[in-house]
Amino acid sequence: MTIVRRTAASTIAIVVATFASAPTFGQQLVTDDPRPADAAATAPVEDPGASDDIVVTGSIVEAQRSSILQKRMADNLVDIAAADAVGRFPDQNSAAALARLPAVAVQRDQGQERYVHVRGAPNRWTSVSIDNVPVIGVDEGGTTRAFRFDAIPAVLLSGLAINKSLTSNLQAEAIVANIDLRTYSPMSEKGLNVQGDVGYGVMGLGSGEQRQGSLRASWSNDVFGIVVGGSHYRRNQVTDNREVGLYDEPTGATDTQSGPTEIDIRSYRLIRENNGLFAGLEYQPADGQRMWAKAIYTGFNDDEQRNQYELRLDRAASGTRDLTGGDLVRVPVRGTFNDGQYRTRNYINTIGGEVDGANGFKAAVALNYTRTENTTDLPLVQASTPTSASPSLSFDFSDPRFPVVQLYATNAGAVPSRGSALSGFDQRTLAAPMVIIGRQDSFTDSYTMKLDVSQELGAVTLSAGGLYADRSITGFTFATANVVNLASFPAGSGLGFDINSYVTDQRWDTGFPLGFTLNNIDNKAMRGDIDTILARLRTLGTYDPSRDVPVSNRYALGEKLLAGYGMAKFTFDGGQVVAGLRVEHFDLDNRGTATLAGGRLEPLSVGQRYTDLFPSVNTRFDLTDRLVFRMAGQRGVARPSFGEVRVGSSIDDTASPGQIGGGNPTLRPEYTWGLDSSLEYYLPGSGILSVAGFHRWVDDVLYGNTQAVGSDAFDAGGIDRSGYLLSSTFNGGRGRLYGVELNYQQQFTFLPGILDGFGFQGNVTLLDGSFDTAERKDIRFPGTSNRIANASLYYEKFGLSARVSYQHRTRWLDTLGGLGLGGGGDEYRAGYDNVDVALRYAVTPNFSLYADLSNLTDAVYSAYQGNEGRPTEVEQIGRRYLGGVRFNF
């Protein structure tokens, strides 16, 4: 759906970010003062702009008041939500909590919220900070800078802020938004405060358990405060999955060998666990002076038993197939099994100090060390049916998401034929097993220093500051280079492996139609035996772990960022203007190794150094006590990921032209100019009604392709490789992303009697945009839905708090296909609708019961190639039910 005509006029139709589909809990305010910021600051309420902390003490309405007042007084366009410290939402991680804000959509992995798309933009266009200190994201293999929000439990936070327009004191590496995750301050509540929860529940698919618990204890007086806490969430989950390999294209009018090349049937049994520990100290020796130290550890564990069977339709001995179905003889079946371990660790340590002088002078300094670890250990055991055991089959593709298969025996002979119908597939007929070693690691160490100072001079406030970050990144992209044949061990090894001995009598838990049944594999036992065999083969010298990862997959990068800014805020009767300039100097040291013909290795090193200017302007006009108009303009940047820019590569000098696979060390950052504006009307009942819009013009958009190198980055040993063909990421042309956001939230205090406990929070975002490359025009940005919507109807009175929440997004482009094929090879993610229900009942002021009912729509998440008649993946995890108790004193 095109929502704005693609003309120059559309760039003027800008209005922005509104707040809060669903803030959860915030400070208890005694008024929902709609007056301008200067007037509100003198009102008898705590000014939330004076602190980054959102103290959780009350209800949904109290959270609305706090968040709306902070938005009302902000210098920029920002959406704010209080974290779920008392559990009004069933959000186990920060991605789920952020998803309830305007123009925010999430990307899920097996139903669990992981990445955040602000305004539908690629996730690399959103930067992240913790307590206003920038942190970098490193995903599996380092192939994206996207921050993994599923590794940050929501309970560690006191609030979340989405800065949709930038001021110069914020990092410039944010094309659409900067997300600031704000941690809890022990000085926000005096005396001893303890709160926590314990919950238990079940998963609708597979009946696995859910469990969660958290505890936070703080104590403070007027001088000193301390907080310690932790959280735990565990999910024992089954995921239903169907995939299709590729789709053949008909080669002529009589060609019947087209349609899906395989039907891939998968079942995942997994245990996902989030754990967090945090501690903080604060010291306030005098008014206007504060020193603090905070330490955060978060760990995400994902242990996955995956079983899959591929019906390899394109390798049938004979028969026909197309997009409606097929009838095939002797179809090979390949089984793949693993017990994989995925780990993400974050160690975040910050110390800082602040001075707030009586003469209007303020200063703040922060020092941070952050380490991230992201590892995957995934040995894949694979085997196929021999020719004599390969079944025949027919399949019905009338609902391409759920192909239904009928199996038959195969009659042997010179020309094999279909035999009698079978009730199931004999899983004990696989042969020639092998283990494919799958691994990836990425590690970062980041040291950051940040300084900010400001001086009030009447109606003008001058600010300046700087940031220095020194980061090292090492690791390798996902590799499956080492394959060990389990069917042929060396003589005298004393090792044996029967892949068919691990089939159990336990049926798959599945809600998808298939046509025949399958049983689970004992992946744990198989993994244990594989580890024993590999250890033995290593001793015998027939397995070399150093070959698991080619050197071309490895990278070692060093980043140094030096930034400084100057900014001025001018306040006048009826509004303010904030303008500034940020300067950033970026220095990249990029080292790796190229693999040449014959296995010869050659070290390569490429550096990048550049300095950029990032101006920004934010204006606010208080048209009336309740009506606010904002406009903002800025320049931003998004830098390539570590895996994309790595110099490590595999080079074939024998091909003509030569071929290179790997990273692209000459990648340039993506730069943008952006405009935002909003019209906000503040309603009684802690409400807001707003319309907002934005436009981003982006240069040098990143995309995948194969094209000539065009530089000397891979030249070595006297060989000019500038004309070789490189398969990697490249800079395309220009693009535009624009949209409109509508937001409404209000408690219905105007209703009579008990009905005044009802309220509503909702927002709709309409998006459009595209970018160009040399091969194609008007390509949608990956991750961009045309429409994103969130809505919550709540009731809160007499100790009862109930909320029904709805989330919706339309389809979005996920992965670009072959750029020479037009859009037919592009992969899309289908839209979905989610409904959650959260119930709370306060038995006493310090004790409450809760129930969270999640994914009540039982959403099916699917992907498809080109159109919905060609699905590539269909996945479902089922509904989730969790109940428990919460306490605070």
Side-chain angles (χ1 to χ4, degrees):
M1 177 183 67
T2 301
I3 59 165
V4 183
R5 290 188 180 275
R6 298 180 180 179
T7 67
S10 67
T11 65
I12 306 172
I14 324 187
V15 248
V16 98
T18 77
F19 157 74
S21 86
T24 43
F25 282 69
Q27 289 173 307
Q28 184 170 356
L29 304 180
V30 298
T31 180
D32 57 319
D33 197 329
R35 291 174 291 168
D38 296 339
T42 64
V45 300
E46 184 173 349
D47 176 6
S51 170
D52 281 344
D53 297 310
I54 302 173
V55 182
V56 178
T57 61
S59 68
I60 297 171
V61 176
E62 291 163 358
Q64 275 186 204
R65 291 173 180 168
S66 174
S67 299
I68 288 178
L69 185 55
Q70 290 186 77
K71 178 182 176 66
R72 173 71 174 81
M73 300 174 66
D75 290 338
N76 60 331
L77 288 86
V78 61
D79 289 340
I80 300 172
D84 185 24
V86 288
R88 303 293 187 189
F89 277 124
D91 298 333
Q92 277 78 35
N93 66 58
S94 53
L98 286 164
R100 304 182 185 280
L101 290 173
V104 176
V106 296
Q107 182 175 332
R108 289 172 168 82
D109 178 69
Q110 298 192 51
Q112 185 167 7
E113 299 87 350
R114 172 167 291 181
Y115 304 111
V116 169
H117 296 271
V118 179
R119 291 171 165 173
N123 50 29
R124 67 179 184 271
W125 287 3
T126 297
S127 63
V128 179
S129 59
I130 296 180
D131 291 326
N132 207 28
V133 176
V135 294
I136 55 175
V138 182
D139 193 12
E140 296 169 1
T143 55
T144 172
R145 284 180 181 257
F147 190 84
R148 284 191 53 168
F149 289 91
D150 59 348
I152 306 295
V155 73
L156 302 185
L157 307 173
S158 68
L160 310 96
I162 301 181
N163 296 290
K164 294 181 178 177
S165 70
L166 301 181
T167 51
S168 296
N169 58 336
L170 297 173
Q171 58 181 314
E173 195 168 352
I175 285 184
V176 294
N178 165 261
I179 296 176
D180 187 33
L181 306 177
R182 301 170 175 179
T183 60
Y184 177 81
S185 167
M187 302 296 286
S188 59
E189 298 176 273
K190 301 303 181 186
L192 176 65
N193 293 273
V194 179
Q195 68 174 40
D197 74 275
V198 177
Y200 189 84
V202 296
M203 305 292 295
L205 180 61
S207 300
E209 69 169 8
Q210 279 190 98
R211 69 187 190 205
Q212 74 173 32
S214 69
L215 181 67
R216 187 182 73 204
S218 66
W219 179 88
S220 72
N221 56 22
D222 293 333
V223 177
F224 179 78
I226 183 172
V227 60
V228 294
S231 67
H232 168 77
Y233 174 71
R234 189 175 190 267
R235 173 190 295 182
N236 190 335
Q237 174 180 319
V238 171
T239 301
D240 242 344
N241 186 282
R242 300 287 184 271
E243 298 194 14
V244 170
L246 297 172
Y247 287 89
D248 285 343
E249 301 294 336
T251 58
T254 61
D255 182 16
T256 58
Q257 298 305 305
S258 60
T261 60
E262 67 181 41
I263 296 174
D264 191 342
I265 308 155
R266 303 187 183 195
S267 178
Y268 304 155
R269 291 174 294 152
L270 54 102
I271 296 177
R272 286 190 168 178
E273 190 172 290
N274 291 77
N275 296 294
L277 296 172
F278 58 98
L281 298 173
E282 292 194 24
Y283 176 55
Q284 295 183 358
D287 289 344
Q289 299 178 18
R290 184 170 79 103
M291 292 179 285
W292 49 274
K294 294 183 179 180
I296 300 173
Y297 162 80
T298 68
F300 173 76
N301 298 340
D302 186 4
D303 294 327
E304 299 197 8
Q305 299 185 56
R306 295 193 174 197
N307 300 325
Q308 73 179 84
Y309 290 92
E310 301 164 73
L311 309 178
R312 311 183 78 177
L313 309 180
D314 60 337
R315 302 192 180 198
S318 61
T320 61
R321 58 186 169 87
D322 57 28
L323 287 174
T324 64
D327 203 338
L328 301 168
V329 175
R330 187 178 284 169
V331 177
V333 180
R334 181 168 64 185
T336 304
F337 317 101
N338 69 77
D339 178 24
Q341 298 174 351
Y342 306 80
R343 300 290 184 267
T344 300
R345 301 284 184 268
N346 292 284
Y347 305 87
I348 304 165
N349 305 277
T350 311
I351 59 173
E354 300 172 358
V355 175
D356 189 350
N359 60 353
F361 175 79
K362 297 180 180 180
V365 64
L367 304 174
N368 173 270
Y369 167 68
T370 296
R371 177 173 175 81
T372 68
E373 301 175 355
N374 192 303
T375 63
T376 299
D377 183 11
L378 189 68
L380 303 168
V381 181
Q382 196 169 84
S384 298
T385 55
T387 300
S388 60
S390 295
S392 299
L393 61 83
S394 62
F395 68 94
D396 180 358
F397 215 60
S398 55
D399 184 349
R401 298 178 306 160
F402 308 116
V404 177
V405 178
Q406 173 62 59
L407 296 177
Y408 299 90
T410 300
N411 296 326
V415 179
S417 61
R418 191 176 79 179
S420 58
L422 301 175
S423 60
F425 171 65
D426 187 351
Q427 295 171 255
R428 293 178 172 86
T429 57
L430 302 182
M434 65 181 69
V435 58
I436 305 168
I437 311 299
R439 290 181 54 203
Q440 79 80 28
D441 289 342
S442 56
F443 304 97
T444 72
D445 291 281
S446 179
Y447 300 87
T448 304
M449 179 177 67
K450 189 174 186 291
L451 173 67
D452 299 277
V453 297
S454 67
Q455 176 67 59
E456 292 184 13
L457 301 170
V460 176
T461 300
L462 301 179
S463 303
L467 178 142
Y468 177 73
D470 190 337
R471 303 160 177 162
S472 64
I473 305 99
T474 59
F476 48 86
T477 58
F478 189 72
T480 54
N482 209 353
V483 179
V484 179
N485 187 348
L486 297 174
S488 57
F489 296 122
S493 65
L495 298 172
F497 181 80
D498 179 7
I499 191 171
N500 297 313
S501 66
Y502 301 96
V503 180
T504 71
D505 295 329
Q506 181 186 23
R507 291 283 176 88
W508 278 14
D509 288 305
T510 177
F512 289 171
L514 177 58
F516 61 94
T517 59
L518 290 166
N519 289 351
N520 286 325
I521 303 298
D522 189 347
N523 303 90
K524 293 289 186 184
M526 183 185 292
R527 171 68 189 267
D529 291 345
I530 289 295
D531 288 345
T532 300
I533 290 172
L534 291 178
R536 177 62 175 157
L537 293 179
R538 182 177 181 178
T539 302
L540 295 172
T542 56
Y543 164 58
D544 182 3
S546 67
R547 298 178 57 191
D548 290 352
V549 181
V551 294
S552 57
N553 287 57
R554 297 183 180 273
Y555 50 81
L557 297 95
E559 289 186 353
K560 291 181 173 62
L561 178 66
L562 179 62
Y565 75 90
M567 187 171 67
K569 178 168 74 173
F570 174 60
T571 303
F572 54 88
D573 186 18
Q576 65 178 38
V577 176
V578 181
L581 178 67
R582 186 177 184 88
V583 182
E584 292 193 353
H585 177 75
F586 184 76
D587 190 335
L588 174 65
D589 178 29
N590 187 353
R591 288 162 283 122
T593 304
T595 303
L596 307 181
R600 186 166 62 89
L601 305 180
E602 193 163 292
L604 296 174
S605 178
V606 176
Q608 290 189 24
R609 293 169 181 81
Y610 49 85
T611 301
D612 291 311
L613 303 178
F614 300 99
S616 64
V617 178
N618 285 264
T619 64
R620 189 190 75 216
F621 301 96
D622 303 312
L623 304 181
T624 71
D625 285 353
R626 294 187 179 273
L627 187 62
V628 176
F629 176 67
R630 301 178 190 265
M631 291 193 68
Q634 64 195 15
R635 187 173 189 247
V637 65
R639 296 185 175 94
S641 71
F642 318 113
E644 288 174 323
V645 80
R646 76 184 192 277
V647 72
S649 55
S650 58
I651 300 176
D652 185 355
D653 288 315
T654 64
S656 182
Q659 308 284 330
I660 303 178
N664 183 356
T666 64
L667 276 180
R668 300 182 299 277
E670 299 169 294
Y671 291 98
T672 183
W673 288 96
L675 291 176
D676 301 83
S677 68
S678 68
L679 187 64
E680 305 159 3
Y681 185 68
Y682 291 85
L683 301 165
S686 302
I688 186 173
L689 177 64
S690 65
V691 58
F694 70 94
H695 199 128
R696 296 290 185 269
W697 293 266
V698 188
D699 292 325
D700 297 324
V701 177
L702 299 177
Y703 74 105
N705 197 22
T706 298
Q707 63 187 55
V709 173
S711 74
D712 61 359
F714 297 99
D715 292 358
I719 300 177
D720 178 5
R721 299 189 175 100
S722 60
Y724 283 23
L725 293 180
L726 172 65
S727 297
S728 189
T729 303
F730 294 88
N731 291 108
R734 294 184 174 182
R736 296 189 301 156
L737 179 68
Y738 46 93
V740 175
E741 304 168 12
L742 306 171
N743 182 61
Y744 168 64
Q745 61 174 311
Q746 187 177 23
Q747 183 189 15
F748 300 151
T749 54
F750 50 83
L751 294 178
I754 63 173
L755 298 180
D756 66 0
F758 280 104
F760 178 81
Q761 299 170 334
N763 57 79
V764 177
T765 303
L766 306 176
L767 299 162
D768 205 348
S770 65
F771 70 97
D772 297 335
T773 70
E775 298 83 8
R776 284 171 55 184
K777 306 296 181 184
D778 291 330
I779 306 169
R780 289 193 64 83
F781 287 106
T784 304
S785 296
N786 281 331
R787 183 176 62 254
I788 302 168
N790 295 288
S792 294
L793 179 67
Y794 65 85
Y795 182 83
E796 198 165 60
K797 201 157 186 165
F798 309 119
L800 174 67
S801 177
R803 184 193 297 263
V804 178
S805 300
Y806 170 74
Q807 294 180 329
H808 161 82
R809 71 180 296 189
T810 57
R811 73 164 190 164
W812 69 95
L813 176 65
D814 188 51
T815 306
L816 286 174
L819 288 170
L821 302 176
D826 295 345
E827 185 176 57
Y828 291 84
R829 292 280 169 177
Y832 60 81
D833 300 274
N834 278 356
V835 173
D836 301 330
V837 172
L839 303 172
R840 306 288 180 267
Y841 181 70
V843 180
T844 72
N846 304 107
F847 181 82
S848 62
L849 305 175
Y850 73 89
D852 293 330
L853 316 176
S854 303
N855 189 28
L856 295 184
T857 49
D858 201 12
V860 175
Y861 305 104
S862 61
Y864 54 87
Q865 179 184 317
N867 62 72
E868 294 186 4
R870 296 183 168 200
T872 54
E873 181 181 16
V874 180
E875 191 170 82
Q876 189 173 36
I877 68 164
R879 300 175 178 88
R880 308 192 302 274
Y881 311 99
L882 182 72
V885 298
R886 296 185 183 272
F887 55 88
N888 65 87
F889 56 87

